[in-house]
Amino acid sequence: MNDASSRSTYDASNYRTPDGAPSDIVIFTIVSKSKEQGKKALPARELQVLLIQRKSWPFEGCWALPGGFCHEDESMESCARRELLEETGVQDVHMEYFNVYSKPGRDPRGWMISHAFVALVEEQQLLGRKAADDAADVRLFPVEAALSMELAFDHSVILRDALGKVRENMLTTTIAKQFLPQEFAISELYQVIQTVVPDFQEQNFIRKITSTKSRKGIIEEVYDERGERKHSNRYSQRAAQLYAFTDYAPRLSIYS
Amino acid sequence: MNDASSRSTYDASNYRTPDGAPSDIVIFTIVSKSKEQGKKALPARELQVLLIQRKSWPFEGCWALPGGFCHEDESMESCARRELLEETGVQDVHMEYFNVYSKPGRDPRGWMISHAFVALVEEQQLLGRKAADDAADVRLFPVEAALSMELAFDHSVILRDALGKVRENMLTTTIAKQFLPQEFAISELYQVIQTVVPDFQEQNFIRKITSTKSRKGIIEEVYDERGERKHSNRYSQRAAQLYAFTDYAPRLSIYS
DNA sequence: GCAATAGTGTCTCTGAGACACTATGAG
DNA sequence: CTCATAGTGTCTCAGAGACACTATTGC
């Protein structure tokens, strides 16, 4: 039966339909692990992912990605945002759709076609929620740990794909801003990139990102009310110039 | 109701489920429009998209993207490949998933969550099929023309998104190879890129892509059996060096 | 002064960009 | 010879990469 004939005789009741269209959300955050309070130093940072522990069949007791079923009156994106809000209390965050997971048999409950999103959330936003909700079944895990766990459904695969996507986007887009305050020091930016993409290394990072003509425009120096360049010594003795992302998004090309 | 409680009481029959999970496939091809047969010149090329004309409700008579409903025993990707084969006779082509379309009301038949793929097909592969199938309801349209048509459902949006995706990928990945023979001249590659991304312009294209160290490895010269560099004068008086894509895929970064 | 991070000087080599030039070969 | 396309010479300037050096400031 080809498409034309199937459509010409279309009647929904003729067909087996999916049993649900869930969204699964991979929520990444970067947590700062400041070693000693007295010391003024860049805190060590770690990429973590939020997982929930399932309370019921299937995969009872297993850790899984948060998510939930799409309603008839919402789009997948709305669904994901709703679930994100319900499960973490977080809204207005960077979220993007990245893949569909539809392998037959991936969900014992039936024919479920799952839609995976990546959300990038500041640590702060999650901490508030986690304090309020003392259920032990939602927790942040270091990504490496989560990757080696056996998650429910095909969530290990989804997590791996999501991590790949975020690593790619970290280098090709300006999503680093999702993990940074509005105004930040170059060293913070560098550290965020390295936290997500461990093998990222640029020896002359400052120069490239500031004094380069081609790159110029991704970030810009921040000035205070008096027109002076704004500095901060949050993380260092010598105060560092603060920068902010601009709206400029360079267009990359392998053909340059 | 939050996710945990909904799962703890899970029963498929409690929920309204989607009425279908179709795939829609945006099939791009580049057609060569050789002006005069006598002349040895690069043929003009044009990016075209394959559309079908619907025979039945809804959107009867409207042009639409090919596609069809997913079966319970296949993944979305399999579904798209099956539909592509059924509707165009084409298989083993480059195809990638790029987005989900789930806005409520997008399909008058019900709650349909559609999954959009882009396929890149060589002109040849489509021509054979189109000759065999003389139904007047499948045709190639120049992209610009298709963009200004009123397509069925939200297919105009899908087409626009697909074009954006292909343009991005044309510059950031080596998908150009999907439109080229195994061995090709630099001018062909350049022309393919320009066909898909009209404002792409590199004055010293040859040098950049060949003699550059950083770029070195995307393509390589082709040698014949005797170890001589292979040339072709298909498109020019002076024979041009032939190249082939390698497996190398450079990693792009805005932080370089 | 020391420690710790911010930021610069300087040198070399490669590549981008521009543009004129030479090379090849069919008609 | 002419023409169209392939490909090179050459010059300038910007940027990468490396590494040592100076700057700032809390303690």
Side-chain angles (χ1 to χ4, degrees):
Chain A
M1 173 160 56
N2 67 26
D3 179 74
S5 67
S6 74
R7 288 196 187 180
S8 64
T9 59
Y10 181 79
D11 175 349
S13 60
N14 288 345
Y15 299 97
R16 173 86 167 86
T17 61
D19 297 319
S23 64
D24 288 308
I25 311 159
V26 185
I27 306 169
F28 286 114
T29 191
I30 290 186
V31 308
S32 306
K33 313 193 294 184
S34 34
K35 312 245 171 178
E36 299 155 52
Q37 294 204 332
K39 264 186 138 176
K40 228 180 205 183
L42 270 165
R45 295 183 197 224
E46 187 174 44
L47 187 64
Q48 301 200 341
V49 59
L50 189 142
L51 299 178
I52 61 162
Q53 191 170 28
R54 294 182 54 79
K55 280 184 177 158
S56 51
W57 181 88
F59 296 100
E60 185 175 341
C62 261
W63 290 92
L65 295 171
F69 289 94
C70 191
H71 301 167
E72 190 184 2
D73 60 354
E74 66 186 359
S75 67
M76 281 317 311
E77 160 113 16
S78 312
C79 166
R81 290 201 179 275
R82 177 177 51 74
E83 294 289 344
L84 183 61
L85 180 58
E86 286 174 10
E87 305 200 8
T88 69
V90 166
Q91 48 190 324
D92 299 327
V93 296
H94 178 88
M95 198 171 73
E96 53 187 288
Y97 177 66
F98 74 95
N99 209 356
V100 63
Y101 295 85
S102 54
K103 201 169 118 194
R106 59 174 293 282
D107 190 323
R109 290 170 297 186
W111 180 14
M112 302 295 182
I113 298 174
S114 177
H115 301 80
F117 290 78
V118 171
L120 303 182
V121 177
E122 278 191 297
E123 187 185 7
Q124 313 297 348
Q125 300 181 268
L126 285 181
L127 288 183
R129 171 65 183 183
K130 281 176 43 191
D133 173 354
D134 54 3
D137 65 349
V138 49
R139 201 183 298 168
L140 285 173
F141 289 86
V143 196
E144 292 308 325
L147 280 173
S148 62
M149 291 163 62
E150 289 215 351
L151 304 183
F153 309 101
D154 49 3
H155 287 188
S156 287
V157 174
I158 299 178
L159 174 59
R160 187 157 35 74
D161 294 353
L163 182 57
K165 184 75 179 176
V166 168
R167 287 198 167 139
E168 184 189 323
N169 283 358
M170 179 59 59
L171 294 180
T172 58
T173 75
T174 54
I175 54 162
K177 81 177 92 170
Q178 306 304 328
F179 291 129
L180 289 168
Q182 254 268 288
E183 307 179 348
F184 54 88
I186 301 279
S187 60
E188 290 181 277
L189 170 58
Y190 188 62
Q191 200 200 28
V192 163
I193 299 174
Q194 280 205 319
T195 302
V196 176
V197 189
D199 60 344
F200 177 80
Q201 250 217 3
E202 290 294 332
Q203 33 289 87
N204 287 358
F205 187 66
I206 278 196
R207 307 184 99 125
K208 286 184 135 165
I209 200 141
T210 56
S211 63
T212 306
K213 236 184 203 164
S214 59
R215 235 71 64 186
K216 189 174 1 194
I218 296 179
I219 61 172
E220 64 188 2
E221 295 155 345
V222 177
Y223 295 85
D224 65 14
E225 322 78 45
R226 292 162 311 175
E228 307 275 309
R229 310 215 294 188
K230 232 170 144 180
H231 292 256
S232 158
N233 62 348
R234 257 176 298 182
Y235 301 130
S236 56
Q237 314 290 36
R238 175 171 176 178
Q241 172 68 48
L242 292 179
Y243 289 85
F245 276 98
T246 66
D247 290 335
Y248 177 63
R251 175 165 129 183
L252 295 172
S253 165
I254 60 172
Y255 305 112
S256 198
Chain B
M1 173 160 55
N2 68 25
D3 178 73
S5 66
S6 75
R7 287 196 186 182
S8 63
T9 59
Y10 181 77
D11 176 347
S13 60
N14 288 346
Y15 300 96
R16 174 87 167 84
T17 62
D19 297 319
S23 64
D24 287 308
I25 311 159
V26 185
I27 306 169
F28 286 114
T29 191
I30 290 186
V31 308
S32 306
K33 314 193 295 184
S34 34
K35 312 246 170 174
E36 299 154 53
Q37 295 203 331
K39 264 186 136 174
K40 227 181 203 180
L42 272 165
R45 296 183 197 224
E46 187 174 45
L47 186 65
Q48 301 199 342
V49 60
L50 190 140
L51 299 177
I52 61 163
Q53 190 170 30
R54 294 182 54 80
K55 280 183 177 158
S56 50
W57 180 87
F59 296 99
E60 186 175 342
C62 261
W63 290 92
L65 295 171
F69 289 95
C70 191
H71 301 168
E72 189 185 2
D73 59 354
E74 67 185 2
S75 66
M76 280 318 309
E77 161 112 17
S78 313
C79 166
R81 290 202 179 274
R82 177 177 52 73
E83 294 289 345
L84 183 61
L85 179 58
E86 286 175 10
E87 303 200 8
T88 70
V90 167
Q91 48 189 322
D92 298 328
V93 296
H94 178 89
M95 198 170 74
E96 52 187 290
Y97 177 66
F98 73 95
N99 209 354
V100 63
Y101 295 85
S102 54
K103 202 169 117 192
R106 60 173 292 283
D107 190 323
R109 292 169 297 187
W111 180 14
M112 303 295 183
I113 297 174
S114 179
H115 301 81
F117 290 78
V118 171
L120 303 182
V121 177
E122 277 191 297
E123 187 185 7
Q124 314 295 350
Q125 301 182 266
L126 286 180
L127 287 183
R129 170 65 181 183
K130 281 175 47 190
D133 174 353
D134 54 4
D137 64 349
V138 50
R139 200 183 297 169
L140 285 172
F141 290 85
V143 196
E144 293 308 326
L147 280 173
S148 62
M149 290 163 60
E150 289 215 350
L151 303 183
F153 308 102
D154 48 4
H155 287 188
S156 287
V157 174
I158 299 180
L159 173 59
R160 186 157 36 74
D161 293 353
L163 183 58
K165 183 77 179 173
V166 168
R167 287 197 167 139
E168 183 188 324
N169 284 358
M170 178 61 58
L171 294 180
T172 58
T173 75
T174 54
I175 55 163
K177 80 175 95 170
Q178 305 304 327
F179 291 129
L180 288 168
Q182 253 270 286
E183 307 178 348
F184 54 88
I186 301 278
S187 60
E188 291 181 277
L189 170 58
Y190 188 61
Q191 200 199 28
V192 163
I193 298 174
Q194 281 205 317
T195 302
V196 176
V197 188
D199 59 344
F200 177 80
Q201 250 215 3
E202 290 295 331
Q203 36 288 88
N204 288 359
F205 187 66
I206 279 194
R207 305 184 100 124
K208 286 184 135 166
I209 199 141
T210 56
S211 63
T212 305
K213 235 185 202 162
S214 61
R215 236 71 66 187
K216 187 170 11 190
I218 295 179
I219 62 172
E220 64 189 0
E221 295 155 348
V222 176
Y223 295 86
D224 64 13
E225 322 77 45
R226 293 163 311 176
E228 307 274 308
R229 308 215 295 187
K230 233 168 142 183
H231 292 256
S232 158
N233 62 347
R234 258 176 296 183
Y235 301 129
S236 56
Q237 314 290 36
R238 175 172 176 178
Q241 172 68 48
L242 291 180
Y243 289 84
F245 275 99
T246 66
D247 290 336
Y248 177 63
R251 174 165 130 182
L252 296 171
S253 165
I254 59 173
Y255 304 112
S256 200

